[in-house]
Structures are given as C-alpha cells and as structure tokens.
Amino acid sequence: MLDRNRQHQIAGPGHGQALSPDLYYDGAQNYSSYGRDYSEQDERFNPLRLLFYVVQYRWLIVMMAAAGLVAGIVVTMMQTPKYLATTQLEVLVPSAKVFQDIEVVSETGDMRAFQTAREKLKSRALAQRVVFQLGLSEKPDFLFPTPSFSLSNIFYRAFGISKSPSIEEKTPEERERIAIGRVLNDLTVNLVTNTSLLSIAFADQNPKYASEIANQVAQSFIDQRLDQTSETSDLARQFIQEQVLQVKQKLQKSEEELVAYAKDAGITITGDEKSLIGSNIEALNTALATAIQERLDAGRMVDQIDKGRGSSLGPVLESEGLQKITDKLADLTSQYQQKLGILKPGFPEMQQLQAQIKELQRLYDNGVLTITDSLRQRYQEAQNKEADLKSKLAEMEKQQVIFNDKNIKYTILKREVDSNRSQYDNLIAKLNEVGVSSELKTQSAAIVDFATQPGSPYSPRLSINLAIALALFLALSASIIYIIELLNNTFTNPEQIEKELGLAMLGILPHVDDRELIASIADPKSGLSEAYRSLRTSLQFSGAEGAPRSLLVTSSEPSEGKSTTSFKLGQDFAALGARVLIVDGDLRKPNLHRLFGLDNTIGLSNLLTNTVRKEDLASIFRATKYPNVTVLTSGTIPPNPADLLSSPKMALIVTNLGKRFDLVIIDAPPVVGLSDAPILSRLAEGTLMVISTNQVTRKSAKTALKRLRAAGANVVGAAMSKFAVNKFDYNYGYKYMNYQYYDYGTPKLKGKVDDGADQPAYAKSPAFRRLVRRIRSSVGGFVDRAKSVS
C-alpha cells in the first residue's frame, strides 16, 4: 500500500541529455477530472452541442452558405421577370324562391355557386373568348415569350439579346391554341376568404398584357353569363307558352267531369271542401265526448251520495241558504252549551233553544236532500243524452260508409283538378318571371376592382430565392458534417470511452506541441506533468486498498503513449516516497531504455532465459537519476516473446518483485495482434488502458478490452492521451480544464528542441495538423467498417 500522505518529491530528468520528441507522444490541451459519471451527461438534445459543431465546421458552413447565396443569385438571373395583375369579381347568388309549400333557398354563402364560377373562369371556352376579344393570337410577344427559366436568360438580362419564332411559321389554329394555353396556364382564380369575391390574377412578362387579360377575363365571364341568360329566357318563354295552353285545356276538362259526377251522385261539399255527413259526424263526436264527461262527473257525485257523504259535495257546500242555516245552527249550539253550565236542560229557555236547534237541523237536512235529488236527476239526464248521441252517431256512420263509396271517384277527379290547376298556376308564374328577366338581363357577377398595370415584377424575388438556396445548402452542409462525424470512428472525448467501453476515466493527458514536449516533461509544474500527477491520484483511489501493487500499462495499438505513461507514472509514484520498479515488458519493440537514457544489453529476456550470470544479477535492476525509481529493461529481443512471458518463471519474477518494491509498473506491448499484453495482464493486479484521441478506432479498443477481460485482467480504468481541444471545439463545451489551468502561476516554458524554421507555414498550424489527423481517422474508420461488414 502506497502512503498517500507523504510529501511530493519530484525529480526531473538529468541535464545534458538530448531526448528526441519521437520518444514521447503528443498530449492534449484540455483536461477534466476523472470519475465523471457518464450517465449524468446530456443524453437529450443539447443546443450547445450544435453550437460547437457549427463553430468547429464554421469554414465549411461559411463556404456552403456562400455557395448557396451565389446559387440563389444565379437562379434569379436565370428566371424571367413576371408581372402580376389582379381583378376582383363579386359573384351574385340568386335570392330565395317559394313554390307553394316547398321552400327552395339559395344562400349567399353557398360554396357551390362560387366553385362553379371559379371553374367557369378557368374554362377553355372563356379563355377562347378572351383571346378573340384581345386579339392575342396575332401578337408574337405574347405567343412566344422568353423562357421562364433558362441559362440564356442570364445573357438576355445582361445584354438584351433574344430570339423569338416568327408568327408566320404557325397556322391560325396553332396560334389560337398556343394563346389559349398561355391564358389558362398563367391564370389564377381564388376565392377571397369569408367573402363572395373571386380574385382573378394573371401573370405575364409584359405588364400591359397582365392587366388587360385579368380585366378581360372578368368582363368576358359577365358577358358570357348574360348571353346565356338571354338565350335561355327566349327558349324558356316559348316553351312555357306551349305548356300553358295544354295545361289549360286539361284543367277545363277535369273541372267539367268533376261537376257532372257530383251532380249525378248527389254529393254536397261544404265551403271547406268537406262533405255534410262528415261535418255532422265531427259535430256528433264532439257532443258525445262532452256528454260522456258530464255523465262521468255526475256519476261521481251520485256515488258520494250513496256512500252517505252528500253533505260534503261541492254544490252543498257552495249553497248560500244552507251556509246561513249552518252558521245559525252553530250559533244556537254555542249558546246552548254556554247556558248549560248555568241552567238545567228542563228549564224553559233551554227547551226553547233545543227546539230551535232541531228545527234548523231539519231544514238543513231537507236542503241537502233537495240538492242530492237534483244531482241524481242530472246524472239520469246525462245518461239519456249519451245514449241518444251514440244512436245518432251510429246512424251517421252508416250514411258515411255509403258516401265514401260514392266519394272515391269524386276524390280521384278532385285530385286531378287540383293537380292541373297547380301546374297552370306555376306555368303562369314562370312565364311572367321569364318575361321580366329577359327584359332586365340581371347580372350574375360584377367587377369590384379593375386590375391596374403593375409597376414592378412579382417574380423572381431575390430574397426568397436566396433564402431557399441558403436553406438547401445549409442542409447539405449539415448532411456533410453528419457524414464526417459518422465516418469518424475514433474517440474524440472521454464520454465516448466511458459509454463505448464502460471504463472509468482515470486521467486525460493533454496534447503538447513537439517543440515544447521535452520541456513540458522535464518541468514538474507543466500541464503535462500535472495531468500525470492527476492520473497517479486517480490510480490511488482505483481500489479499496489504494493503487495496485503491480500495474500493467498497455494500449490497443502502437504509438498511443503507453511507454511515456509508464515512464511518468513511475516518477510520480516515486515522488511520494514509494519504491517503484518499471519493467519494460515489450520484448518486441522496447522503448523504456531510451526514455531513461540507458543501454539495453541485458534485461527481462535474459532473466527469463537464464542467460545472465549470477554476479550480474544485481546489476540487471538499474537505478535511475530519479529517486526511488528502478528500471528493468527488456534486454535482448528474443525470437519467442509470448512463450517467455507465459512461462511460470515470469509469474514467479512478478511475484518476487512485488515483495521487494512498493509498486511494479509493467510497460506492455499493444493488445491488438499480439498475445503478450493479455498474458502479462493476468500477472498484474491492475491494468491501465491508454487510449489515444482521434487515433485508435472504437472497434479496435473494444477488441483489445475484450481480449484483456477474456484473459482475466483486472482493468482498473483508462487514460485518454493526445487529448487536444482548440478554443472552439465541442469538447470545450463540456468545460474540461484548459491546458493553461495546469500552468497557473508558472512562467511560459522557454526551452524548445525545434523552432520549426525548416517547416512550411501550413505545417506549423495546429489546425492543419488536426485536419490531417481527422482525415486519417475518418478514412481509417471507414476502412475498418468496410472490413467488419465484409
């Protein structure tokens, strides 16, 4: 376990050593702290992301926008100017008419009338009439206009050069057909919303033709309707007159037959066209209903009398005489009761009161009896009346049956008379209407506003063409950007590593220019050194017990910076006071001995093959100029590196070295295409993957991680190397710490290995180098996808 509380003791490389920048790798300029949860990032639409894409591809967008503007201007120049004139026509809908009991309503808002007028305005017959009225078939500039859209229009608009066919080359029929087609093609008729107005618009290259044709279309429509109305009225009047004579004769004949039959059958009809028998039956039914109601009312009263409740009937209670007797009886009874408390019943005054009370009671009973007898008499009369009415009604119904037999033919004749009379009345009314309409010649439409000659063309409109062209070219640029991003199958930001590989981002190593690389590595306060120290801190918290005792550093492909990472991590852990051993496990293309400035005569391969003498065994572990840092170089390059690394002796060496040192860092070969790294990953407690920005493909990184995990490796996380963001890059929007953050309070580095004097100007530009890397990565990603599909 490394002690995280020790003071940092950073040692730089010794002086007097000229290390080539090729031994290191290019880092990136921005960095953000590791351990960021990708699930918390913006999975939804992010406008800021689009903004940074726009800034990143700003030159492409600007060029496409400029091309769109040029295309809009060229398209406008290729179009022939057209002038638009508009006439407004009001459609007059006929008013409502009533024919007897059937009401026929024609509303002013009837859309069918407006649609009919619109289609007539666009008809070929009306266009032919307009051509004849204006003589359009004899005007060459109307028959043979300049093409609406042509490349030759640019020269015509620039120099006024045009060539039209001769009118003599066409027959009159062909000229008329061409003129009619032009009128129909350039004519537009629309209904003005919520009005009865039709807007008639005509577009032409000549403003005079535009106004004349629009006005003539409206006038020809009115004239056409008037001519049709006049012709129709004359024909209708002649036809109706013939029909009136025929119907009049039929009406006279049917009336004569009806009167003759009624006289022979003895049928009498009342004024309301009902028979006398029918009228009597109707009256008897009404009287019978009244009699039945009277009998029922009287019967209810008699029923009350029979039940002994006659005194409670309405006529008894409403009788004024009985009411007076009742009041007097109540008064005497009250006096008797009052005096009964003083006098005895046998007292003469009391006997007199009793006699008066009895007399009044007798008179009251006689009055009630009289009224009830009258009610019984009324009930008997109602019964008799009901019986008489039923008898008379039955007799009239027998007569009605006889009358109905005679009335069948009468009804048929009467219906024929009514039908003939109705036809005669309608024809007379129609004849009068036709005569009046033929004299008045009522218009069905009226011109509200005549078209005036337009002063400026309505088409082409430069602003609209520019807007459309700009939108199309911007959409094309968006498609190009999308394809570029789609073909870029490399890692451009840490979130992609976390999402695609599922690894924790332990550190982001910034890009450093080649001319400042050596100075950045040597300076403990540089941004690159600070990034490596941050990676060291992340490794200390990668496990429950801190950093692993043995750490394998590998990458998917070569030249991703794994050797430099091993080199710097060993220095940084040693600065904490830990005893660090850096083992060069790359037995194919070793590089650590160059970074430390050591020879590679003997090393790990000699130890595995027992080709080192016992007295030289101690000298194989070499101390470096960095305190607490020991290096075990790769040694002689063997013919079978994988066999040596998979031997039991290698596992024993790693175990023993882990006991002697606080931390063993193994610089392993790349994973893809080799079996060395998966073999070594099984021997180390933890594995760190170094993934370069815009270099290694995602498929390659996934394959490498899959091989490591299949071998049983404990991949603790990943470090993203060569991470470079310019000021306007999208990654900057994620607020990664700028590279200058690591240089806070540090003077600018002055030591440079190469001033780039012998390089061309475009090669010095970081933007040019980024473009080259992007093109290479895009092509590589495309090839990789093609291979995976095949």
Side-chain angles (χ1 to χ4, degrees):
M1 176 70 69
L2 296 178
D3 188 0
R4 302 187 183 95
N5 296 324
R6 295 182 181 178
Q7 291 291 333
H8 291 203
Q9 298 176 355
I10 303 173
H15 300 284
Q17 296 183 3
L19 299 181
S20 172
D22 296 336
L23 301 180
Y24 300 90
Y25 63 92
D26 294 337
Q29 294 177 352
N30 294 336
Y31 172 73
S32 87
S33 57
Y34 78 100
R36 190 162 167 231
D37 186 6
Y38 184 80
S39 63
E40 297 177 358
Q41 300 307 308
D42 293 334
E43 293 292 341
R44 58 188 182 278
F45 173 74
N46 189 355
L48 187 61
R49 186 173 192 172
L50 292 180
L51 174 62
F52 283 104
Y53 274 130
V54 169
V55 177
Q56 181 180 358
Y57 293 96
R58 56 192 179 277
W59 294 116
L60 172 62
I61 296 174
V62 168
M63 287 189 294
M64 294 299 290
L69 295 177
V70 172
I73 295 174
V74 172
V75 169
T76 303
M77 293 294 293
M78 293 173 65
Q79 291 180 280
T80 302
K82 284 190 176 183
Y83 298 84
L84 183 69
T86 304
T87 300
Q88 286 193 340
L89 181 71
E90 182 181 5
V91 179
L92 305 176
V93 182
S95 58
K97 298 180 180 180
V98 179
F99 298 93
Q100 290 189 0
D101 297 334
I102 304 176
E103 184 176 4
V104 181
V105 180
S106 178
E107 301 180 355
T108 58
D110 190 355
M111 291 301 300
R112 291 176 298 178
F114 302 134
Q115 294 293 339
T116 302
R118 179 176 179 270
E119 294 303 321
K120 285 185 176 180
L121 284 166
K122 297 172 63 177
S123 64
R124 184 176 182 82
L126 187 64
Q128 186 177 13
R129 188 166 186 153
V130 171
V131 170
F132 176 77
Q133 291 289 340
L134 297 179
L136 298 177
S137 61
E138 303 300 327
K139 297 180 179 180
D141 55 344
F142 180 79
L143 293 175
F144 309 110
T146 306
S148 299
F149 185 83
S150 174
L151 188 62
S152 61
N153 287 343
I154 299 179
F155 300 98
Y156 171 73
R157 297 182 68 175
F159 307 105
I161 302 175
S162 64
K163 181 180 179 181
S164 301
S166 176
I167 192 172
E168 288 77 12
E169 298 177 2
K170 303 291 183 180
T171 63
E173 292 78 11
E174 291 177 341
R175 294 198 301 268
E176 182 181 4
R177 178 178 53 81
I178 294 173
I180 293 174
R182 281 221 54 208
V183 172
L184 293 176
N185 291 335
D186 296 330
L187 180 66
T188 304
V189 182
N190 292 315
L191 175 64
V192 181
T193 308
N194 297 327
T195 66
S196 59
L197 300 179
L198 289 174
S199 175
I200 304 172
F202 189 82
D204 194 81
Q205 299 174 8
N206 191 328
K208 181 180 178 181
Y209 288 154
S211 59
E212 288 181 353
I213 293 176
N215 291 328
Q216 188 59 46
V217 167
Q219 188 61 47
S220 297
F221 174 76
I222 296 174
D223 296 341
Q224 185 185 53
R225 294 293 297 272
L226 290 176
D227 294 344
Q228 291 175 352
T229 304
S230 178
E231 294 175 2
T232 303
S233 298
D234 294 339
L235 294 174
R237 183 171 58 253
Q238 181 179 358
F239 175 76
I240 293 174
Q241 286 176 350
E242 296 174 357
Q243 294 295 318
V244 167
L245 293 176
Q246 296 178 8
V247 174
K248 183 178 180 181
Q249 295 175 358
K250 290 174 61 178
L251 177 60
Q252 290 177 353
K253 183 178 179 181
S254 61
E255 287 178 343
E256 291 174 358
E257 292 177 354
L258 177 64
V259 173
Y261 179 78
K263 186 184 294 185
D264 295 341
I267 297 176
T268 303
I269 303 298
T270 61
D272 55 355
E273 298 185 356
K274 293 182 179 180
S275 66
L276 186 60
I277 296 175
S279 301
N280 292 336
I281 291 176
E282 184 177 351
L284 285 175
N285 281 324
T286 303
L288 179 60
T290 304
I292 292 174
Q293 186 63 39
E294 291 178 354
R295 190 257 303 169
L296 292 175
D297 294 340
R300 284 193 293 270
M301 291 185 180
V302 171
D303 185 59
Q304 294 293 327
I305 294 171
D306 294 340
K307 292 180 180 179
R309 294 196 290 269
S311 58
S312 62
L313 295 175
V316 175
L317 298 177
E318 295 173 356
S319 176
E320 295 182 359
L322 293 178
Q323 186 66 34
K324 293 179 180 179
I325 293 174
T326 302
D327 295 341
K328 185 63 176 177
L329 184 61
D331 184 43
L332 292 176
T333 302
S334 176
Q335 292 179 15
Y336 180 81
Q337 292 296 331
Q338 290 177 0
K339 293 181 180 182
L340 187 61
I342 302 173
L343 303 176
K344 294 182 179 182
F347 196 73
E349 183 177 357
M350 298 295 289
Q351 291 179 355
Q352 185 179 1
L353 288 174
Q354 291 179 1
Q356 292 177 356
I357 291 172
K358 289 180 180 180
E359 181 63 20
L360 290 173
Q361 185 66 42
R362 186 183 63 78
L363 292 175
Y364 178 79
D365 293 339
N366 290 336
V368 171
L369 182 61
T370 301
I371 294 174
T372 55
D373 289 342
S374 65
L375 292 175
R376 292 180 184 274
Q377 183 64 29
R378 186 187 301 173
Y379 175 65
Q380 186 63 37
E381 292 175 355
Q383 288 179 331
N384 295 336
K385 183 179 179 180
E386 180 182 355
D388 292 341
L389 290 174
K390 287 182 177 180
S391 175
K392 291 180 180 180
L393 182 61
E395 183 180 351
M396 295 301 297
E397 288 177 348
K398 292 179 181 179
Q399 296 179 7
Q400 179 67 28
V401 171
I402 297 172
F403 174 80
N404 288 338
D405 294 338
K406 297 179 179 180
N407 193 47
I408 293 175
K409 185 175 181 181
Y410 178 86
T411 303
I412 295 174
L413 296 175
K414 182 66 170 56
R415 186 181 301 114
E416 185 176 358
V417 171
D418 293 339
S419 175
N420 292 333
R421 183 178 291 111
S422 176
Q423 292 182 20
Y424 181 77
D425 294 339
N426 289 335
L427 290 173
I428 292 297
K430 282 290 185 181
L431 184 61
N432 294 332
E433 290 179 4
V434 170
V436 173
S437 62
S438 62
E439 295 296 331
L440 294 178
K441 293 185 178 181
T442 305
Q443 294 184 355
S444 60
I447 298 177
V448 177
D449 191 9
F450 286 92
T452 59
Q453 184 171 323
S456 59
Y458 87 101
S459 173
R461 298 181 63 179
L462 181 60
S463 58
I464 294 179
N465 289 342
L466 289 179
I468 294 175
L470 189 62
L472 291 177
F473 275 80
L474 288 179
L476 179 60
S477 64
S479 302
I480 294 174
I481 293 173
Y482 177 77
I483 293 174
I484 291 175
E485 290 295 326
L486 190 65
L487 292 177
N488 184 14
N489 196 28
T490 60
F491 296 99
T492 59
N493 57 69
E495 284 81 357
Q496 294 174 345
I497 295 178
E498 294 177 345
K499 181 179 180 180
E500 299 287 341
L501 304 182
L503 294 178
M505 183 53 57
L506 300 182
I508 302 174
L509 308 176
H511 174 270
V512 178
D513 191 83
D514 293 344
R515 292 169 292 182
E516 299 179 357
L517 180 59
I518 296 178
S520 297
I521 293 177
D523 187 1
K525 295 184 179 180
S526 66
L528 184 62
S529 299
E530 197 66 47
Y532 275 112
R533 283 194 291 272
S534 180
L535 175 60
R536 176 198 64 189
T537 305
S538 301
L539 287 171
Q540 287 180 289
F541 291 95
S542 62
E545 298 181 356
R549 296 293 297 270
S550 56
L551 177 66
L552 179 74
V553 181
T554 185
S555 62
S556 304
E557 299 176 356
S559 302
E560 293 192 60
K562 56 180 182 55
S563 297
T564 307
T565 301
S566 303
F567 171 72
K568 287 295 294 182
L569 283 179
Q571 297 180 32
D572 293 336
F573 275 108
L576 298 178
R579 290 173 298 128
V580 179
L581 172 64
I582 303 178
V583 179
D584 193 347
D586 191 350
L587 303 183
R588 300 174 187 270
K589 293 177 64 176
N591 192 38
L592 273 180
H593 65 281
R594 297 190 182 95
L595 295 177
F596 283 99
L598 303 173
D599 62 84
N600 193 27
T601 55
I602 57 174
L604 179 61
S605 61
N606 304 95
L607 192 61
L608 292 174
T609 56
N610 295 323
T611 58
V612 58
R613 294 178 298 177
K614 189 175 289 188
E615 57 271 15
D616 296 333
L617 193 59
S619 62
I620 202 172
F621 297 96
R622 304 182 185 184
T624 65
K625 55 194 161 208
Y626 305 103
N628 297 326
V629 176
T630 305
V631 176
L632 175 59
T633 60
S634 62
T636 306
I637 298 178
N640 53 348
D643 296 339
L644 294 179
L645 295 176
S646 61
S647 63
K649 191 171 184 179
M650 181 63 191
L652 183 62
I653 290 173
V654 173
T655 304
N656 292 332
L657 292 177
K659 297 177 181 180
R660 294 178 53 189
F661 295 91
D662 297 327
L663 175 63
V664 177
I665 299 176
I666 304 175
D667 178 24
V671 178
V672 176
L674 302 175
S675 61
D676 300 6
I679 294 173
L680 292 174
S681 64
R682 301 184 60 181
L683 306 179
E685 292 185 7
T687 300
L688 174 66
M689 279 195 68
V690 178
I691 300 174
S692 59
T693 307
N694 292 326
Q695 177 179 339
V696 64
T697 62
R698 301 181 189 181
K699 181 179 179 181
S700 178
K702 288 181 180 179
T703 303
L705 180 62
K706 183 177 181 181
R707 290 191 61 193
L708 290 174
R709 287 178 172 168
N714 175 28
V715 183
V716 297
M720 192 170 193
S721 63
K722 304 181 182 181
F723 186 75
V725 229
N726 57 35
K727 184 177 181 181
F728 298 107
D729 201 316
Y730 164 66
N731 296 315
Y732 184 78
Y734 276 78
K735 302 189 184 303
Y736 291 115
M737 287 181 289
N738 191 275
Y739 175 59
Q740 301 300 327
Y741 166 81
Y742 295 113
D743 297 338
Y744 180 76
T746 303
K748 185 173 181 63
L749 297 174
K750 298 180 180 179
K752 294 185 179 180
V753 176
D754 185 11
D755 58 358
D758 56 344
Q759 295 181 1
Y762 63 86
K764 301 177 184 179
S765 172
F768 177 78
R769 291 197 297 271
R770 284 194 299 272
L771 179 61
V772 172
R773 286 198 300 268
R774 177 59 61 88
I775 294 174
R776 289 178 177 175
S777 61
S778 299
V779 174
F782 180 77
V783 173
D784 184 64
R785 287 188 176 189
K787 290 181 179 179
S788 62
V789 171
S790 61

